[in-house]
PDB file of all heavy atoms in Angstrom:
ATOM      1  N   LEU A  61    -293.287-115.197 -31.845  1.00 67.00           N
ATOM      2  CA  LEU A  61    -291.827-115.167 -31.701  1.00 67.00           C
ATOM      3  C   LEU A  61    -291.178-115.097 -33.073  1.00 67.00           C
ATOM      4  O   LEU A  61    -291.542-115.859 -33.980  1.00 67.00           O
ATOM      5  CB  LEU A  61    -291.336-116.425 -30.987  1.00 67.00           C
ATOM      6  CG  LEU A  61    -289.809-116.600 -30.885  1.00 67.00           C
ATOM      7  CD1 LEU A  61    -289.229-115.594 -29.906  1.00 67.00           C
ATOM      8  CD2 LEU A  61    -289.450-118.025 -30.469  1.00 67.00           C
ATOM      9  N   ASP A  62    -290.234-114.181 -33.237  1.00 81.00           N
ATOM     10  CA  ASP A  62    -289.440-114.196 -34.461  1.00 81.00           C
ATOM     11  C   ASP A  62    -288.004-114.550 -34.106  1.00 81.00           C
ATOM     12  O   ASP A  62    -287.607-114.520 -32.943  1.00 81.00           O
ATOM     13  CB  ASP A  62    -289.526-112.875 -35.235  1.00 81.00           C
ATOM     14  CG  ASP A  62    -289.040-111.676 -34.416  1.00 81.00           C
ATOM     15  OD1 ASP A  62    -288.331-111.888 -33.404  1.00 81.00           O
ATOM     16  OD2 ASP A  62    -289.364-110.537 -34.784  1.00 81.00           O
ATOM     17  N   THR A  63    -287.218-114.893 -35.112  1.00 84.00           N
ATOM     18  CA  THR A  63    -285.863-115.382 -34.862  1.00 84.00           C
ATOM     19  C   THR A  63    -284.982-114.349 -34.161  1.00 84.00           C
ATOM     20  O   THR A  63    -284.278-114.693 -33.200  1.00 84.00           O
ATOM     21  CB  THR A  63    -285.216-115.839 -36.179  1.00 84.00           C
ATOM     22  OG1 THR A  63    -286.068-116.808 -36.801  1.00 84.00           O
ATOM     23  CG2 THR A  63    -283.856-116.461 -35.924  1.00 84.00           C
ATOM     24  N   PRO A  64    -284.975-113.075 -34.585  1.00 87.00           N
ATOM     25  CA  PRO A  64    -284.148-112.089 -33.872  1.00 87.00           C
ATOM     26  C   PRO A  64    -284.489-111.995 -32.390  1.00 87.00           C
ATOM     27  O   PRO A  64    -283.601-111.838 -31.553  1.00 87.00           O
ATOM     28  CB  PRO A  64    -284.450-110.782 -34.609  1.00 87.00           C
ATOM     29  CG  PRO A  64    -284.849-111.206 -35.985  1.00 87.00           C
ATOM     30  CD  PRO A  64    -285.610-112.483 -35.783  1.00 87.00           C
ATOM     31  N   GLN A  65    -285.780-112.094 -32.073  1.00 88.00           N
ATOM     32  CA  GLN A  65    -286.173-112.042 -30.662  1.00 88.00           C
ATOM     33  C   GLN A  65    -285.622-113.244 -29.905  1.00 88.00           C
ATOM     34  O   GLN A  65    -285.126-113.124 -28.782  1.00 88.00           O
ATOM     35  CB  GLN A  65    -287.700-112.013 -30.547  1.00 88.00           C
ATOM     36  CG  GLN A  65    -288.205-111.995 -29.107  1.00 88.00           C
ATOM     37  CD  GLN A  65    -289.714-112.139 -29.021  1.00 88.00           C
ATOM     38  OE1 GLN A  65    -290.418-112.099 -30.031  1.00 88.00           O
ATOM     39  NE2 GLN A  65    -290.220-112.323 -27.812  1.00 88.00           N
ATOM     40  N   GLY A  66    -285.694-114.422 -30.536  1.00 90.00           N
ATOM     41  CA  GLY A  66    -285.161-115.625 -29.891  1.00 90.00           C
ATOM     42  C   GLY A  66    -283.668-115.529 -29.651  1.00 90.00           C
ATOM     43  O   GLY A  66    -283.166-115.936 -28.596  1.00 90.00           O
ATOM     44  N   VAL A  67    -282.932-114.978 -30.619  1.00 92.00           N
ATOM     45  CA  VAL A  67    -281.485-114.808 -30.468  1.00 92.00           C
ATOM     46  C   VAL A  67    -281.180-113.821 -29.349  1.00 92.00           C
ATOM     47  O   VAL A  67    -280.237-114.020 -28.564  1.00 92.00           O
ATOM     48  CB  VAL A  67    -280.870-114.352 -31.802  1.00 92.00           C
ATOM     49  CG1 VAL A  67    -279.403-113.972 -31.615  1.00 92.00           C
ATOM     50  CG2 VAL A  67    -281.000-115.446 -32.858  1.00 92.00           C
ATOM     51  N   GLU A  68    -281.973-112.782 -29.240  1.00 93.00           N
ATOM     52  CA  GLU A  68    -281.785-111.808 -28.159  1.00 93.00           C
ATOM     53  C   GLU A  68    -282.012-112.462 -26.800  1.00 93.00           C
ATOM     54  O   GLU A  68    -281.273-112.189 -25.839  1.00 93.00           O
ATOM     55  CB  GLU A  68    -282.737-110.623 -28.344  1.00 93.00           C
ATOM     56  CG  GLU A  68    -282.617-109.552 -27.274  1.00 93.00           C
ATOM     57  CD  GLU A  68    -281.228-108.931 -27.191  1.00 93.00           C
ATOM     58  OE1 GLU A  68    -280.589-108.736 -28.248  1.00 93.00           O
ATOM     59  OE2 GLU A  68    -280.774-108.658 -26.054  1.00 93.00           O
ATOM     60  N   GLU A  69    -282.998-113.330 -26.720  1.00 93.00           N
ATOM     61  CA  GLU A  69    -283.252-114.046 -25.463  1.00 93.00           C
ATOM     62  C   GLU A  69    -282.072-114.950 -25.121  1.00 93.00           C
ATOM     63  O   GLU A  69    -281.700-115.091 -23.952  1.00 93.00           O
ATOM     64  CB  GLU A  69    -284.537-114.865 -25.572  1.00 93.00           C
ATOM     65  CG  GLU A  69    -285.808-114.036 -25.708  1.00 93.00           C
ATOM     66  CD  GLU A  69    -286.135-113.239 -24.451  1.00 93.00           C
ATOM     67  OE1 GLU A  69    -285.561-113.522 -23.378  1.00 93.00           O
ATOM     68  OE2 GLU A  69    -286.981-112.340 -24.527  1.00 93.00           O
ATOM     69  N   MET A  70    -281.477-115.580 -26.126  1.00 95.00           N
ATOM     70  CA  MET A  70    -280.297-116.409 -25.888  1.00 95.00           C
ATOM     71  C   MET A  70    -279.163-115.570 -25.308  1.00 95.00           C
ATOM     72  O   MET A  70    -278.460-116.001 -24.384  1.00 95.00           O
ATOM     73  CB  MET A  70    -279.845-117.067 -27.198  1.00 95.00           C
ATOM     74  CG  MET A  70    -280.801-118.124 -27.731  1.00 95.00           C
ATOM     75  SD  MET A  70    -280.466-118.575 -29.460  1.00 95.00           S
ATOM     76  CE  MET A  70    -278.821-119.297 -29.311  1.00 95.00           C
ATOM     77  N   ALA A  71    -278.986-114.373 -25.851  1.00 94.00           N
ATOM     78  CA  ALA A  71    -277.923-113.488 -25.361  1.00 94.00           C
ATOM     79  C   ALA A  71    -278.210-113.039 -23.928  1.00 94.00           C
ATOM     80  O   ALA A  71    -277.279-112.897 -23.116  1.00 94.00           O
ATOM     81  CB  ALA A  71    -277.792-112.275 -26.279  1.00 94.00           C
ATOM     82  N   GLU A  72    -279.485-112.838 -23.605  1.00 94.00           N
ATOM     83  CA  GLU A  72    -279.847-112.452 -22.240  1.00 94.00           C
ATOM     84  C   GLU A  72    -279.521-113.576 -21.253  1.00 94.00           C
ATOM     85  O   GLU A  72    -279.046-113.336 -20.151  1.00 94.00           O
ATOM     86  CB  GLU A  72    -281.337-112.104 -22.169  1.00 94.00           C
ATOM     87  CG  GLU A  72    -281.685-110.761 -22.794  1.00 94.00           C
ATOM     88  CD  GLU A  72    -281.000-109.595 -22.083  1.00 94.00           C
ATOM     89  OE1 GLU A  72    -280.893-109.627 -20.835  1.00 94.00           O
ATOM     90  OE2 GLU A  72    -280.562-108.663 -22.778  1.00 94.00           O
ATOM     91  N   VAL A  73    -279.776-114.811 -21.663  1.00 95.00           N
ATOM     92  CA  VAL A  73    -279.430-115.948 -20.805  1.00 95.00           C
ATOM     93  C   VAL A  73    -277.922-116.008 -20.596  1.00 95.00           C
ATOM     94  O   VAL A  73    -277.439-116.260 -19.487  1.00 95.00           O
ATOM     95  CB  VAL A  73    -279.946-117.270 -21.427  1.00 95.00           C
ATOM     96  CG1 VAL A  73    -279.465-118.465 -20.596  1.00 95.00           C
ATOM     97  CG2 VAL A  73    -281.465-117.271 -21.517  1.00 95.00           C
ATOM     98  N   LEU A  74    -277.170-115.770 -21.672  1.00 93.00           N
ATOM     99  CA  LEU A  74    -275.705-115.790 -21.588  1.00 93.00           C
ATOM    100  C   LEU A  74    -275.200-114.813 -20.535  1.00 93.00           C
ATOM    101  O   LEU A  74    -274.245-115.095 -19.807  1.00 93.00           O
ATOM    102  CB  LEU A  74    -275.107-115.447 -22.953  1.00 93.00           C
ATOM    103  CG  LEU A  74    -273.578-115.431 -23.058  1.00 93.00           C
ATOM    104  CD1 LEU A  74    -273.019-116.844 -22.982  1.00 93.00           C
ATOM    105  CD2 LEU A  74    -273.136-114.759 -24.365  1.00 93.00           C
ATOM    106  N   ARG A  75    -275.853-113.670 -20.433  1.00 90.00           N
ATOM    107  CA  ARG A  75    -275.401-112.626 -19.503  1.00 90.00           C
ATOM    108  C   ARG A  75    -275.739-112.945 -18.060  1.00 90.00           C
ATOM    109  O   ARG A  75    -275.330-112.210 -17.150  1.00 90.00           O
ATOM    110  CB  ARG A  75    -276.030-111.287 -19.903  1.00 90.00           C
ATOM    111  CG  ARG A  75    -275.607-110.824 -21.301  1.00 90.00           C
ATOM    112  CD  ARG A  75    -276.163-109.453 -21.645  1.00 90.00           C
ATOM    113  NE  ARG A  75    -275.924-109.149 -23.049  1.00 90.00           N
ATOM    114  CZ  ARG A  75    -276.859-109.061 -23.985  1.00 90.00           C
ATOM    115  NH1 ARG A  75    -278.130-109.231 -23.647  1.00 90.00           N
ATOM    116  NH2 ARG A  75    -276.556-108.796 -25.232  1.00 90.00           N
ATOM    117  N   CYS A  76    -276.466-114.035 -17.826  1.00 90.00           N
ATOM    118  CA  CYS A  76    -276.822-114.403 -16.450  1.00 90.00           C
ATOM    119  C   CYS A  76    -275.635-114.963 -15.676  1.00 90.00           C
ATOM    120  O   CYS A  76    -275.685-115.058 -14.451  1.00 90.00           O
ATOM    121  CB  CYS A  76    -277.953-115.431 -16.453  1.00 90.00           C
ATOM    122  SG  CYS A  76    -279.557-114.773 -16.963  1.00 90.00           S
ATOM    123  N   ILE A  77    -274.599-115.373 -16.393  1.00 85.00           N
ATOM    124  CA  ILE A  77    -273.418-115.907 -15.703  1.00 85.00           C
ATOM    125  C   ILE A  77    -272.255-114.956 -15.913  1.00 85.00           C
ATOM    126  O   ILE A  77    -271.990-114.495 -17.028  1.00 85.00           O
ATOM    127  CB  ILE A  77    -273.058-117.329 -16.184  1.00 85.00           C
ATOM    128  CG1 ILE A  77    -271.967-117.905 -15.284  1.00 85.00           C
ATOM    129  CG2 ILE A  77    -272.660-117.365 -17.646  1.00 85.00           C
ATOM    130  CD1 ILE A  77    -271.827-119.410 -15.394  1.00 85.00           C
ATOM    131  N   SER A  78    -271.595-114.604 -14.839  1.00 74.00           N
ATOM    132  CA  SER A  78    -270.485-113.663 -14.897  1.00 74.00           C
ATOM    133  C   SER A  78    -269.285-114.234 -14.159  1.00 74.00           C
ATOM    134  O   SER A  78    -269.434-114.857 -13.106  1.00 74.00           O
ATOM    135  CB  SER A  78    -270.878-112.320 -14.273  1.00 74.00           C
ATOM    136  OG  SER A  78    -269.753-111.474 -14.142  1.00 74.00           O
ATOM    137  N   LEU A  79    -268.114-114.016 -14.703  1.00 73.00           N
ATOM    138  CA  LEU A  79    -266.882-114.453 -14.042  1.00 73.00           C
ATOM    139  C   LEU A  79    -266.190-113.305 -13.323  1.00 73.00           C
ATOM    140  O   LEU A  79    -265.085-113.455 -12.830  1.00 73.00           O
ATOM    141  CB  LEU A  79    -265.926-115.054 -15.078  1.00 73.00           C
ATOM    142  CG  LEU A  79    -266.360-116.384 -15.684  1.00 73.00           C
ATOM    143  CD1 LEU A  79    -265.388-116.820 -16.764  1.00 73.00           C
ATOM    144  CD2 LEU A  79    -266.474-117.456 -14.615  1.00 73.00           C
ATOM    145  N   THR A  80    -266.856-112.157 -13.263  1.00 61.00           N
ATOM    146  CA  THR A  80    -266.206-110.989 -12.659  1.00 61.00           C
ATOM    147  C   THR A  80    -266.639-110.760 -11.220  1.00 61.00           C
ATOM    148  O   THR A  80    -265.933-110.120 -10.463  1.00 61.00           O
ATOM    149  CB  THR A  80    -266.516-109.718 -13.475  1.00 61.00           C
ATOM    150  OG1 THR A  80    -267.939-109.555 -13.582  1.00 61.00           O
ATOM    151  CG2 THR A  80    -265.921-109.829 -14.866  1.00 61.00           C
ATOM    152  N   ASN A  81    -267.796-111.285 -10.828  1.00 52.00           N
ATOM    153  CA  ASN A  81    -268.282-111.070  -9.471  1.00 52.00           C
ATOM    154  C   ASN A  81    -268.627-112.402  -8.820  1.00 52.00           C
ATOM    155  O   ASN A  81    -269.735-112.904  -8.957  1.00 52.00           O
ATOM    156  CB  ASN A  81    -269.534-110.173  -9.481  1.00 52.00           C
ATOM    157  CG  ASN A  81    -269.248-108.805 -10.050  1.00 52.00           C
ATOM    158  OD1 ASN A  81    -268.304-108.150  -9.632  1.00 52.00           O
ATOM    159  ND2 ASN A  81    -270.064-108.368 -11.002  1.00 52.00           N
ATOM    160  N   HIS A  82    -267.677-113.005  -8.174  1.00 49.00           N
ATOM    161  CA  HIS A  82    -267.951-114.253  -7.475  1.00 49.00           C
ATOM    162  C   HIS A  82    -267.024-114.386  -6.276  1.00 49.00           C
ATOM    163  O   HIS A  82    -266.012-113.720  -6.175  1.00 49.00           O
ATOM    164  CB  HIS A  82    -267.784-115.459  -8.403  1.00 49.00           C
ATOM    165  CG  HIS A  82    -266.399-115.617  -8.954  1.00 49.00           C
ATOM    166  ND1 HIS A  82    -265.945-114.888 -10.020  1.00 49.00           N
ATOM    167  CD2 HIS A  82    -265.368-116.406  -8.566  1.00 49.00           C
ATOM    168  CE1 HIS A  82    -264.692-115.227 -10.297  1.00 49.00           C
ATOM    169  NE2 HIS A  82    -264.318-116.135  -9.419  1.00 49.00           N
ATOM    170  N   SER A  83    -267.403-115.263  -5.374  1.00 47.00           N
ATOM    171  CA  SER A  83    -266.660-115.449  -4.125  1.00 47.00           C
ATOM    172  C   SER A  83    -265.265-115.992  -4.376  1.00 47.00           C
ATOM    173  O   SER A  83    -265.061-116.852  -5.211  1.00 47.00           O
ATOM    174  CB  SER A  83    -267.427-116.402  -3.212  1.00 47.00           C
ATOM    175  OG  SER A  83    -266.651-116.719  -2.076  1.00 47.00           O
TER     176      SER A  83
END
Side-chain angles (χ1 to χ4, degrees):
L61 174 71
D62 60 18
T63 305
Q65 178 187 352
V67 172
E68 180 60 37
E69 294 293 345
M70 291 166 64
E72 286 298 322
V73 175
L74 180 71
R75 298 184 189 111
C76 289
I77 189 163
S78 171
L79 291 176
T80 56
N81 298 309
H82 61 280
S83 173

